[in-house]
Amino acid sequence: MPRPPRHRPRRSGPVRLAVAASAVFLAALTGCSGGNGGTAPSRSHTPTTAGPGAASPAGARITIKDFTFKPAALTVRPGARVTVVNQDSVTHDVTATGPKAFGSGSIGPGRTVTFTAPAGPGRYRYICTIHPYMKGSLTVR
């Protein structure tokens, strides 16, 4: 009697390709020196279980939806935890431009990550390196 087929969850081809391409792009991007002596930017991407719209008292929230950062401009305290929620159907990231002060790493669809805001005050512009037309700013004071 033939065995029934094993049921394994699989990612579809386009999703698998997009994830692989994103990983290769990010690896190449972080491997560049960018004027900081070849060191990669500090990254902390710890999954969180916070509910929609909630932010910890010491942190803030950026929501990615419809290929935009909401809010586009956010003000936080030095060293605050910033929660990023990806509500789009594709992978995004939040990466500082200029001085590579922070980065979220890849955030898959429906995923939530956190990163630590810079300790130094100032305005830090950021983009999604996968979709560079997505822009925002983080002000630390």
Side-chain angles (χ1 to χ4, degrees), residues 19-39:
V19 170
S22 297
V24 169
F25 179 77
L26 287 173
L29 182 66
T30 58
C32 298
S33 77
N36 63 357
T39 60

Side-chain angles (χ1 to χ4, degrees), residues 6 12 18 32 40-41 46 48 52-54 77 86 89 95 103-104 106 129:
R6 290 178 33 170
S12 65
C32 298
T46 306
T48 167
R77 294 179 183 232
N86 181 358
S89 60
T95 303
S104 66
S106 293
T129 59

Side-chain angles (χ1 to χ4, degrees), residues 63-136:
T63 301
I64 302 171
K65 187 171 182 171
D66 301 325
F67 289 80
T68 59
F69 296 115
K70 297 175 183 177
L74 180 65
T75 301
V76 298
R77 294 179 183 232
R81 289 176 48 96
V82 179
T83 301
V84 183
V85 181
N86 181 358
Q87 294 181 350
D88 271 343
S89 60
V90 299
T91 299
H92 293 290
D93 67 7
V94 174
T95 303
T97 59
K100 303 293 183 191
F102 59 88
S104 66
S106 293
I107 310 167
R111 304 288 290 189
T112 300
V113 300
T114 61
F115 68 88
T116 303
R123 183 171 181 216
Y124 300 86
R125 295 180 191 272
Y126 61 85
I127 62 169
C128 170
T129 59
I130 303 164
H131 310 99
Y133 54 88
M134 294 174 57
K135 299 177 182 180

